[in-house]
Amino acid sequence: GIDQVKVTAVFPHFINTGFCCWSYSLKLPQLFPLLEPEWVADQIITATREERNELVLPRVTPLLLIHLITMPPAVFRRFSKWMGSELMATFRQTREHKID
């Protein structure tokens, strides 16, 4: 039955897949690292085997989010701009997609 279904929700930061390249321009890459796919996969397998409900990567992310979400919006925008978080400007298509 449904009692036998186990789920682990995974919340990774950006993964080095070629989809984005912003990590190198970020002011504090130590706090917001670009994660390697192999490491993320290992973490997911471990969390699944341990039957954890959630996996947030890197582990420091929740601590940072607490500080960020408590900032007034104007302060958050200034902080984000200072950090260089123009993320969408750095995304790139990694393969062709046909849309019919």
Tab-separated table of all heavy atoms in Angstrom, residues 2-62:
chain	number	residue	atom	x	y	z
A	2	ILE	N	0.195	2.334	0.262
A	2	ILE	CA	0.847	3.645	0.232
A	2	ILE	C	1.845	3.824	1.380
A	2	ILE	O	2.749	4.630	1.305
A	2	ILE	CB	-0.198	4.764	0.219
A	2	ILE	CG1	0.418	6.019	-0.360
A	2	ILE	CG2	-0.755	5.019	1.599
A	2	ILE	CD1	-0.590	7.002	-0.859
A	3	ASP	N	1.723	3.045	2.442
A	3	ASP	CA	2.666	3.132	3.556
A	3	ASP	C	4.070	2.700	3.141
A	3	ASP	O	5.045	3.038	3.805
A	3	ASP	CB	2.189	2.265	4.729
A	3	ASP	CG	0.903	2.788	5.343
A	3	ASP	OD1	0.641	4.007	5.226
A	3	ASP	OD2	0.169	1.984	5.938
A	4	GLN	N	4.188	1.959	2.075
A	4	GLN	CA	5.486	1.467	1.632
A	4	GLN	C	6.242	2.468	0.750
A	4	GLN	O	7.400	2.250	0.428
A	4	GLN	CB	5.311	0.146	0.872
A	4	GLN	CG	4.625	-0.933	1.672
A	4	GLN	CD	5.369	-1.263	2.958
A	4	GLN	OE1	6.587	-1.337	2.969
A	4	GLN	NE2	4.640	-1.418	4.049
A	5	VAL	N	5.598	3.572	0.368
A	5	VAL	CA	6.223	4.564	-0.506
A	5	VAL	C	7.029	5.541	0.340
A	5	VAL	O	6.514	6.135	1.283
A	5	VAL	CB	5.167	5.327	-1.331
A	5	VAL	CG1	5.812	6.428	-2.152
A	5	VAL	CG2	4.393	4.370	-2.212
A	6	LYS	N	8.305	5.695	0.018
A	6	LYS	CA	9.193	6.633	0.705
A	6	LYS	C	9.600	7.710	-0.289
A	6	LYS	O	9.873	7.427	-1.455
A	6	LYS	CB	10.448	5.923	1.216
A	6	LYS	CG	10.176	4.712	2.067
A	6	LYS	CD	9.798	5.120	3.452
A	6	LYS	CE	9.702	3.854	4.294
A	6	LYS	NZ	8.978	3.999	5.476
A	7	VAL	N	9.654	8.951	0.179
A	7	VAL	CA	10.001	10.073	-0.680
A	7	VAL	C	11.067	10.909	0.003
A	7	VAL	O	10.973	11.189	1.200
A	7	VAL	CB	8.761	10.953	-0.973
A	7	VAL	CG1	9.147	12.183	-1.772
A	7	VAL	CG2	7.700	10.147	-1.705
A	8	THR	N	12.069	11.313	-0.755
A	8	THR	CA	13.074	12.262	-0.290
A	8	THR	C	13.008	13.464	-1.216
A	8	THR	O	13.282	13.339	-2.417
A	8	THR	CB	14.487	11.651	-0.315
A	8	THR	OG1	14.525	10.509	0.530
A	8	THR	CG2	15.525	12.656	0.150
A	9	ALA	N	12.635	14.624	-0.690
A	9	ALA	CA	12.608	15.854	-1.484
A	9	ALA	C	14.028	16.403	-1.535
A	9	ALA	O	14.694	16.532	-0.513
A	9	ALA	CB	11.672	16.874	-0.850
A	10	VAL	N	14.507	16.712	-2.740
A	10	VAL	CA	15.872	17.185	-2.927
A	10	VAL	C	15.841	18.645	-3.369
A	10	VAL	O	15.158	18.998	-4.330
A	10	VAL	CB	16.611	16.323	-3.973
A	10	VAL	CG1	18.035	16.816	-4.165
A	10	VAL	CG2	16.591	14.861	-3.559
A	11	PHE	N	16.589	19.483	-2.659
A	11	PHE	CA	16.671	20.912	-2.944
A	11	PHE	C	18.138	21.283	-3.164
A	11	PHE	O	18.803	21.783	-2.265
A	11	PHE	CB	16.092	21.733	-1.790
A	11	PHE	CG	14.681	21.374	-1.450
A	11	PHE	CD1	14.406	20.495	-0.407
A	11	PHE	CD2	13.629	21.890	-2.172
A	11	PHE	CE1	13.104	20.160	-0.082
A	11	PHE	CE2	12.319	21.555	-1.857
A	11	PHE	CZ	12.050	20.697	-0.813
A	12	PRO	N	18.649	21.033	-4.376
A	12	PRO	CA	20.050	21.373	-4.616
A	12	PRO	C	20.203	22.828	-5.041
A	12	PRO	O	19.287	23.424	-5.603
A	12	PRO	CB	20.437	20.450	-5.761
A	12	PRO	CG	19.169	20.316	-6.535
A	12	PRO	CD	18.060	20.336	-5.504
A	13	HIS	N	21.365	23.364	-4.749
A	13	HIS	CA	21.742	24.663	-5.282
A	13	HIS	C	22.096	24.412	-6.744
A	13	HIS	O	21.860	23.324	-7.267
A	13	HIS	CB	22.938	25.191	-4.481
A	13	HIS	CG	23.200	26.640	-4.674
A	13	HIS	ND1	22.264	27.602	-4.451
A	13	HIS	CD2	24.317	27.288	-5.073
A	13	HIS	CE1	22.782	28.795	-4.693
A	13	HIS	NE2	24.034	28.625	-5.077
A	14	PHE	N	22.691	25.320	-7.434
A	14	PHE	CA	23.009	25.125	-8.835
A	14	PHE	C	24.061	24.035	-9.019
A	14	PHE	O	25.024	23.952	-8.281
A	14	PHE	CB	23.484	26.432	-9.469
A	14	PHE	CG	22.371	27.418	-9.623
A	14	PHE	CD1	22.142	28.382	-8.667
A	14	PHE	CD2	21.537	27.347	-10.727
A	14	PHE	CE1	21.098	29.269	-8.799
A	14	PHE	CE2	20.478	28.242	-10.865
A	14	PHE	CZ	20.271	29.205	-9.894
A	15	ILE	N	23.840	23.205	-10.039
A	15	ILE	CA	24.710	22.072	-10.328
A	15	ILE	C	25.470	22.350	-11.625
A	15	ILE	O	24.911	22.892	-12.580
A	15	ILE	CB	23.883	20.776	-10.447
A	15	ILE	CG1	23.133	20.528	-9.135
A	15	ILE	CG2	24.773	19.590	-10.792
A	15	ILE	CD1	22.147	19.390	-9.185
A	16	ASN	N	26.721	21.982	-11.645
A	16	ASN	CA	27.601	22.234	-12.776
A	16	ASN	C	27.241	21.330	-13.955
A	16	ASN	O	27.894	20.328	-14.220
A	16	ASN	CB	29.055	22.007	-12.356
A	16	ASN	CG	30.027	22.434	-13.420
A	16	ASN	OD1	29.666	23.107	-14.379
A	16	ASN	ND2	31.276	22.044	-13.251
A	17	THR	N	26.200	21.719	-14.676
A	17	THR	CA	25.723	20.933	-15.818
A	17	THR	C	25.965	21.648	-17.145
A	17	THR	O	25.625	21.114	-18.191
A	17	THR	CB	24.208	20.670	-15.695
A	17	THR	OG1	23.541	21.938	-15.689
A	17	THR	CG2	23.889	19.889	-14.450
A	18	GLY	N	26.518	22.851	-17.089
A	18	GLY	CA	26.687	23.639	-18.306
A	18	GLY	C	25.513	24.554	-18.562
A	18	GLY	O	25.544	25.380	-19.468
A	19	PHE	N	24.469	24.436	-17.753
A	19	PHE	CA	23.268	25.257	-17.930
A	19	PHE	C	23.499	26.688	-17.439
A	19	PHE	O	22.924	27.626	-17.941
A	19	PHE	CB	22.107	24.611	-17.181
A	19	PHE	CG	20.776	25.290	-17.391
A	19	PHE	CD1	20.226	25.413	-18.652
A	19	PHE	CD2	20.076	25.789	-16.325
A	19	PHE	CE1	19.004	26.025	-18.843
A	19	PHE	CE2	18.858	26.404	-16.499
A	19	PHE	CZ	18.320	26.520	-17.772
A	20	CYS	N	24.361	26.849	-16.441
A	20	CYS	CA	24.655	28.192	-15.940
A	20	CYS	C	26.146	28.307	-15.665
A	20	CYS	O	26.827	27.319	-15.448
A	20	CYS	CB	23.857	28.517	-14.689
A	20	CYS	SG	24.285	27.509	-13.279
A	21	CYS	N	26.651	29.512	-15.689
A	21	CYS	CA	28.081	29.711	-15.442
A	21	CYS	C	28.292	30.894	-14.513
A	21	CYS	O	29.318	31.543	-14.537
A	21	CYS	CB	28.825	29.913	-16.754
A	21	CYS	SG	28.167	31.263	-17.751
A	22	TRP	N	27.361	31.188	-13.675
A	22	TRP	CA	27.410	32.381	-12.822
A	22	TRP	C	28.335	32.241	-11.634
A	22	TRP	O	28.757	33.225	-11.055
A	22	TRP	CB	26.014	32.730	-12.325
A	22	TRP	CG	25.446	31.668	-11.458
A	22	TRP	CD1	24.742	30.573	-11.848
A	22	TRP	CD2	25.556	31.553	-10.053
A	22	TRP	NE1	24.415	29.803	-10.789
A	22	TRP	CE2	24.894	30.372	-9.664
A	22	TRP	CE3	26.153	32.329	-9.061
A	22	TRP	CZ2	24.812	29.962	-8.351
A	22	TRP	CZ3	26.069	31.924	-7.751
A	22	TRP	CH2	25.404	30.749	-7.410
A	23	SER	N	28.671	31.048	-11.195
A	23	SER	CA	29.426	30.839	-9.974
A	23	SER	C	30.740	31.601	-9.976
A	23	SER	O	31.178	32.094	-8.956
A	23	SER	CB	29.692	29.353	-9.757
A	23	SER	OG	30.463	29.147	-8.607
A	24	TYR	N	31.368	31.693	-11.140
A	24	TYR	CA	32.670	32.327	-11.195
A	24	TYR	C	32.584	33.830	-11.038
A	24	TYR	O	33.552	34.471	-10.672
A	24	TYR	CB	33.353	31.950	-12.496
A	24	TYR	CG	33.490	30.461	-12.626
A	24	TYR	CD1	32.705	29.765	-13.531
A	24	TYR	CD2	34.351	29.751	-11.801
A	24	TYR	CE1	32.788	28.394	-13.628
A	24	TYR	CE2	34.445	28.378	-11.900
A	24	TYR	CZ	33.671	27.702	-12.803
A	24	TYR	OH	33.759	26.345	-12.892
A	25	SER	N	31.441	34.429	-11.277
A	25	SER	CA	31.297	35.871	-11.133
A	25	SER	C	30.647	36.252	-9.802
A	25	SER	O	30.538	37.427	-9.496
A	25	SER	CB	30.472	36.439	-12.292
A	25	SER	OG	29.161	35.905	-12.262
A	26	LEU	N	30.241	35.289	-9.025
A	26	LEU	CA	29.611	35.570	-7.744
A	26	LEU	C	30.662	36.016	-6.742
A	26	LEU	O	31.768	35.497	-6.723
A	26	LEU	CB	28.919	34.299	-7.246
A	26	LEU	CG	27.782	34.456	-6.254
A	26	LEU	CD1	26.673	35.302	-6.844
A	26	LEU	CD2	27.244	33.097	-5.889
A	27	LYS	N	30.310	36.983	-5.888
A	27	LYS	CA	31.289	37.532	-4.951
A	27	LYS	C	31.701	36.556	-3.864
A	27	LYS	O	32.813	36.614	-3.386
A	27	LYS	CB	30.751	38.809	-4.330
A	27	LYS	CG	30.639	39.917	-5.327
A	27	LYS	CD	30.555	41.238	-4.655
A	27	LYS	CE	30.180	42.256	-5.662
A	27	LYS	NZ	31.036	43.206	-6.063
A	28	LEU	N	30.820	35.686	-3.437
A	28	LEU	CA	31.132	34.746	-2.362
A	28	LEU	C	30.873	33.314	-2.813
A	28	LEU	O	29.980	32.647	-2.316
A	28	LEU	CB	30.296	35.074	-1.115
A	28	LEU	CG	30.497	36.460	-0.512
A	28	LEU	CD1	29.491	36.714	0.593
A	28	LEU	CD2	31.903	36.622	0.006
A	29	PRO	N	31.672	32.799	-3.757
A	29	PRO	CA	31.415	31.448	-4.260
A	29	PRO	C	31.570	30.373	-3.186
A	29	PRO	O	31.059	29.277	-3.346
A	29	PRO	CB	32.444	31.278	-5.380
A	29	PRO	CG	33.514	32.264	-5.088
A	29	PRO	CD	32.838	33.408	-4.388
A	30	GLN	N	32.253	30.691	-2.080
A	30	GLN	CA	32.377	29.721	-0.996
A	30	GLN	C	31.022	29.450	-0.342
A	30	GLN	O	30.754	28.342	0.121
A	30	GLN	CB	33.353	30.208	0.088
A	30	GLN	CG	34.723	30.536	-0.422
A	30	GLN	CD	34.837	31.985	-0.905
A	30	GLN	OE1	33.854	32.660	-1.187
A	30	GLN	NE2	36.060	32.454	-1.023
A	31	LEU	N	30.167	30.452	-0.302
A	31	LEU	CA	28.840	30.292	0.289
A	31	LEU	C	27.837	29.714	-0.697
A	31	LEU	O	26.883	29.059	-0.306
A	31	LEU	CB	28.318	31.637	0.804
A	31	LEU	CG	29.064	32.238	1.982
A	31	LEU	CD1	28.451	33.582	2.346
A	31	LEU	CD2	29.044	31.308	3.174
A	32	PHE	N	28.030	29.983	-1.975
A	32	PHE	CA	27.107	29.532	-3.005
A	32	PHE	C	27.886	28.778	-4.089
A	32	PHE	O	28.005	29.241	-5.211
A	32	PHE	CB	26.385	30.728	-3.636
A	32	PHE	CG	25.635	31.555	-2.647
A	32	PHE	CD1	26.193	32.706	-2.124
A	32	PHE	CD2	24.374	31.178	-2.231
A	32	PHE	CE1	25.504	33.476	-1.206
A	32	PHE	CE2	23.668	31.946	-1.315
A	32	PHE	CZ	24.241	33.097	-0.806
A	33	PRO	N	28.419	27.608	-3.755
A	33	PRO	CA	29.248	26.895	-4.728
A	33	PRO	C	28.427	26.272	-5.854
A	33	PRO	O	27.258	25.960	-5.681
A	33	PRO	CB	29.901	25.806	-3.886
A	33	PRO	CG	28.885	25.523	-2.822
A	33	PRO	CD	28.263	26.863	-2.505
A	34	LEU	N	29.073	26.118	-6.984
A	34	LEU	CA	28.484	25.380	-8.084
A	34	LEU	C	28.777	23.916	-7.800
A	34	LEU	O	29.932	23.508	-7.724
A	34	LEU	CB	29.125	25.826	-9.403
A	34	LEU	CG	28.468	25.411	-10.691
A	34	LEU	CD1	27.022	25.909	-10.755
A	34	LEU	CD2	29.247	25.989	-11.866
A	35	LEU	N	27.741	23.121	-7.594
A	35	LEU	CA	27.900	21.740	-7.143
A	35	LEU	C	28.223	20.798	-8.298
A	35	LEU	O	27.708	20.963	-9.400
A	35	LEU	CB	26.617	21.277	-6.450
A	35	LEU	CG	26.139	22.153	-5.288
A	35	LEU	CD1	24.810	21.646	-4.763
A	35	LEU	CD2	27.174	22.194	-4.181
A	36	GLU	N	29.063	19.811	-8.017
A	36	GLU	CA	29.421	18.823	-9.025
A	36	GLU	C	28.352	17.728	-9.076
A	36	GLU	O	27.911	17.246	-8.024
A	36	GLU	CB	30.789	18.231	-8.734
A	36	GLU	CG	31.920	19.221	-8.920
A	36	GLU	CD	31.956	19.818	-10.319
A	36	GLU	OE1	31.761	19.077	-11.308
A	36	GLU	OE2	32.169	21.041	-10.426
A	37	PRO	N	27.932	17.318	-10.271
A	37	PRO	CA	26.852	16.332	-10.411
A	37	PRO	C	27.115	15.023	-9.669
A	37	PRO	O	26.205	14.458	-9.060
A	37	PRO	CB	26.770	16.088	-11.917
A	37	PRO	CG	27.407	17.258	-12.543
A	37	PRO	CD	28.418	17.781	-11.572
A	38	GLU	N	28.338	14.536	-9.706
A	38	GLU	CA	28.660	13.268	-9.043
A	38	GLU	C	28.455	13.366	-7.536
A	38	GLU	O	27.933	12.455	-6.894
A	38	GLU	CB	30.109	12.844	-9.345
A	38	GLU	CG	30.365	12.540	-10.794
A	38	GLU	CD	30.605	13.789	-11.651
A	38	GLU	OE1	30.741	14.917	-11.091
A	38	GLU	OE2	30.638	13.646	-12.889
A	39	TRP	N	28.893	14.493	-6.949
A	39	TRP	CA	28.744	14.697	-5.511
A	39	TRP	C	27.264	14.773	-5.134
A	39	TRP	O	26.827	14.178	-4.155
A	39	TRP	CB	29.482	15.965	-5.068
A	39	TRP	CG	29.374	16.212	-3.608
A	39	TRP	CD1	30.105	15.612	-2.622
A	39	TRP	CD2	28.475	17.110	-2.954
A	39	TRP	NE1	29.720	16.088	-1.383
A	39	TRP	CE2	28.709	17.014	-1.568
A	39	TRP	CE3	27.495	17.988	-3.399
A	39	TRP	CZ2	28.002	17.752	-0.632
A	39	TRP	CZ3	26.800	18.730	-2.468
A	39	TRP	CH2	27.055	18.612	-1.103
A	40	VAL	N	26.484	15.502	-5.936
A	40	VAL	CA	25.048	15.629	-5.685
A	40	VAL	C	24.387	14.254	-5.756
A	40	VAL	O	23.579	13.890	-4.891
A	40	VAL	CB	24.385	16.607	-6.673
A	40	VAL	CG1	22.873	16.601	-6.531
A	40	VAL	CG2	24.929	18.016	-6.473
A	41	ALA	N	24.748	13.466	-6.759
A	41	ALA	CA	24.177	12.120	-6.899
A	41	ALA	C	24.504	11.262	-5.675
A	41	ALA	O	23.633	10.558	-5.151
A	41	ALA	CB	24.699	11.457	-8.169
A	42	ASP	N	25.740	11.330	-5.197
A	42	ASP	CA	26.130	10.577	-3.995
A	42	ASP	C	25.308	11.003	-2.783
A	42	ASP	O	24.864	10.166	-1.989
A	42	ASP	CB	27.617	10.764	-3.684
A	42	ASP	CG	28.521	10.036	-4.657
A	42	ASP	OD1	28.031	9.126	-5.364
A	42	ASP	OD2	29.725	10.391	-4.706
A	43	GLN	N	25.095	12.306	-2.644
A	43	GLN	CA	24.315	12.817	-1.519
A	43	GLN	C	22.858	12.349	-1.594
A	43	GLN	O	22.245	12.018	-0.578
A	43	GLN	CB	24.378	14.350	-1.467
A	43	GLN	CG	25.762	14.913	-1.260
A	43	GLN	CD	26.367	14.447	0.034
A	43	GLN	OE1	25.796	14.604	1.097
A	43	GLN	NE2	27.542	13.857	-0.042
A	44	ILE	N	22.305	12.329	-2.802
A	44	ILE	CA	20.919	11.878	-2.993
A	44	ILE	C	20.786	10.396	-2.647
A	44	ILE	O	19.845	9.994	-1.955
A	44	ILE	CB	20.446	12.163	-4.435
A	44	ILE	CG1	20.334	13.675	-4.660
A	44	ILE	CG2	19.128	11.461	-4.718
A	44	ILE	CD1	20.105	14.068	-6.109
A	45	ILE	N	21.731	9.596	-3.097
A	45	ILE	CA	21.689	8.162	-2.794
A	45	ILE	C	21.778	7.934	-1.286
A	45	ILE	O	21.010	7.148	-0.716
A	45	ILE	CB	22.813	7.418	-3.539
A	45	ILE	CG1	22.496	7.408	-5.032
A	45	ILE	CG2	22.997	6.005	-3.002
A	45	ILE	CD1	23.644	6.959	-5.915
A	46	THR	N	22.691	8.646	-0.621
A	46	THR	CA	22.831	8.512	0.833
A	46	THR	C	21.550	8.918	1.547
A	46	THR	O	21.071	8.207	2.438
A	46	THR	CB	24.014	9.362	1.337
A	46	THR	OG1	25.210	8.892	0.707
A	46	THR	CG2	24.155	9.272	2.839
A	47	ALA	N	20.973	10.050	1.169
A	47	ALA	CA	19.744	10.527	1.813
A	47	ALA	C	18.584	9.563	1.596
A	47	ALA	O	17.775	9.335	2.500
A	47	ALA	CB	19.380	11.912	1.284
A	48	THR	N	18.512	8.984	0.403
A	48	THR	CA	17.453	8.022	0.098
A	48	THR	C	17.606	6.764	0.934
A	48	THR	O	16.642	6.259	1.514
A	48	THR	CB	17.466	7.671	-1.404
A	48	THR	OG1	17.322	8.879	-2.154
A	48	THR	CG2	16.347	6.724	-1.750
A	49	ARG	N	18.828	6.274	1.034
A	49	ARG	CA	19.076	5.078	1.845
A	49	ARG	C	18.791	5.322	3.321
A	49	ARG	O	18.341	4.423	4.030
A	49	ARG	CB	20.521	4.613	1.673
A	49	ARG	CG	20.767	3.967	0.340
A	49	ARG	CD	22.189	3.515	0.189
A	49	ARG	NE	22.363	2.842	-1.093
A	49	ARG	CZ	23.524	2.721	-1.704
A	49	ARG	NH1	24.622	3.220	-1.170
A	49	ARG	NH2	23.588	2.096	-2.863
A	50	GLU	N	19.048	6.556	3.785
A	50	GLU	CA	18.780	6.905	5.181
A	50	GLU	C	17.315	7.285	5.411
A	50	GLU	O	16.939	7.642	6.523
A	50	GLU	CB	19.693	8.058	5.611
A	50	GLU	CG	21.158	7.672	5.646
A	50	GLU	CD	22.066	8.859	5.932
A	50	GLU	OE1	21.579	10.008	5.988
A	50	GLU	OE2	23.281	8.619	6.086
A	51	GLU	N	16.515	7.236	4.349
A	51	GLU	CA	15.089	7.563	4.386
A	51	GLU	C	14.827	8.956	4.965
A	51	GLU	O	13.875	9.187	5.707
A	51	GLU	CB	14.300	6.493	5.148
A	51	GLU	CG	14.368	5.132	4.479
A	51	GLU	CD	13.513	4.084	5.173
A	51	GLU	OE1	12.818	4.409	6.151
A	51	GLU	OE2	13.556	2.929	4.715
A	52	ARG	N	15.679	9.906	4.578
A	52	ARG	CA	15.475	11.290	5.009
A	52	ARG	C	14.342	11.907	4.206
A	52	ARG	O	14.153	11.601	3.025
A	52	ARG	CB	16.751	12.103	4.841
A	52	ARG	CG	17.828	11.661	5.813
A	52	ARG	CD	18.923	12.654	5.904
A	52	ARG	NE	19.723	12.649	4.680
A	52	ARG	CZ	20.888	13.265	4.573
A	52	ARG	NH1	21.386	13.935	5.570
A	52	ARG	NH2	21.547	13.217	3.432
A	53	ASN	N	13.591	12.783	4.846
A	53	ASN	CA	12.481	13.446	4.165
A	53	ASN	C	12.961	14.516	3.196
A	53	ASN	O	12.344	14.742	2.166
A	53	ASN	CB	11.530	14.076	5.174
A	53	ASN	CG	10.829	13.032	5.998
A	53	ASN	OD1	10.542	11.942	5.524
A	53	ASN	ND2	10.560	13.343	7.252
A	54	GLU	N	14.047	15.223	3.559
A	54	GLU	CA	14.551	16.323	2.740
A	54	GLU	C	16.062	16.264	2.644
A	54	GLU	O	16.741	15.813	3.558
A	54	GLU	CB	14.181	17.675	3.346
A	54	GLU	CG	12.737	18.017	3.323
A	54	GLU	CD	12.485	19.409	3.871
A	54	GLU	OE1	13.378	19.990	4.532
A	54	GLU	OE2	11.399	19.928	3.636
A	55	LEU	N	16.564	16.780	1.550
A	55	LEU	CA	17.994	16.947	1.358
A	55	LEU	C	18.201	18.322	0.756
A	55	LEU	O	17.738	18.605	-0.342
A	55	LEU	CB	18.555	15.866	0.422
A	55	LEU	CG	20.019	16.013	0.038
A	55	LEU	CD1	20.920	15.897	1.274
A	55	LEU	CD2	20.396	14.983	-1.011
A	56	VAL	N	18.863	19.213	1.488
A	56	VAL	CA	19.161	20.563	1.021
A	56	VAL	C	20.670	20.627	0.799
A	56	VAL	O	21.445	20.337	1.698
A	56	VAL	CB	18.722	21.630	2.044
A	56	VAL	CG1	19.038	23.023	1.533
A	56	VAL	CG2	17.231	21.495	2.343
A	57	LEU	N	21.070	21.004	-0.413
A	57	LEU	CA	22.490	21.061	-0.755
A	57	LEU	C	22.876	22.434	-1.270
A	57	LEU	O	22.165	22.988	-2.099
A	57	LEU	CB	22.802	20.022	-1.834
A	57	LEU	CG	22.554	18.577	-1.452
A	57	LEU	CD1	22.713	17.682	-2.673
A	57	LEU	CD2	23.490	18.151	-0.354
A	58	PRO	N	23.988	22.980	-0.815
A	58	PRO	CA	24.805	22.490	0.279
A	58	PRO	C	24.103	22.697	1.608
A	58	PRO	O	23.122	23.440	1.681
A	58	PRO	CB	26.084	23.315	0.187
A	58	PRO	CG	25.674	24.578	-0.475
A	58	PRO	CD	24.535	24.212	-1.390
A	59	ARG	N	24.589	22.066	2.643
A	59	ARG	CA	23.898	22.085	3.932
A	59	ARG	C	23.812	23.465	4.568
A	59	ARG	O	22.960	23.704	5.405
A	59	ARG	CB	24.563	21.116	4.899
A	59	ARG	CG	24.349	19.690	4.473
A	59	ARG	CD	24.925	18.741	5.448
A	59	ARG	NE	24.782	17.391	4.909
A	59	ARG	CZ	24.745	16.318	5.630
A	59	ARG	NH1	24.883	16.399	6.929
A	59	ARG	NH2	24.600	15.143	5.076
A	60	VAL	N	24.675	24.380	4.184
A	60	VAL	CA	24.666	25.731	4.744
A	60	VAL	C	23.499	26.561	4.201
A	60	VAL	O	23.121	27.563	4.777
A	60	VAL	CB	26.019	26.442	4.482
A	60	VAL	CG1	26.181	26.767	3.014
A	60	VAL	CG2	26.164	27.676	5.332
A	61	THR	N	22.883	26.128	3.115
A	61	THR	CA	21.822	26.895	2.455
A	61	THR	C	20.684	27.309	3.384
A	61	THR	O	20.286	28.476	3.368
A	61	THR	CB	21.285	26.119	1.240
A	61	THR	OG1	22.379	25.864	0.361
A	61	THR	CG2	20.218	26.888	0.510
A	62	PRO	N	20.116	26.422	4.221
A	62	PRO	CA	19.026	26.866	5.091
A	62	PRO	C	19.429	27.999	6.041
A	62	PRO	O	18.647	28.906	6.296
A	62	PRO	CB	18.655	25.606	5.883
A	62	PRO	CG	19.104	24.483	5.030
A	62	PRO	CD	20.333	24.975	4.323
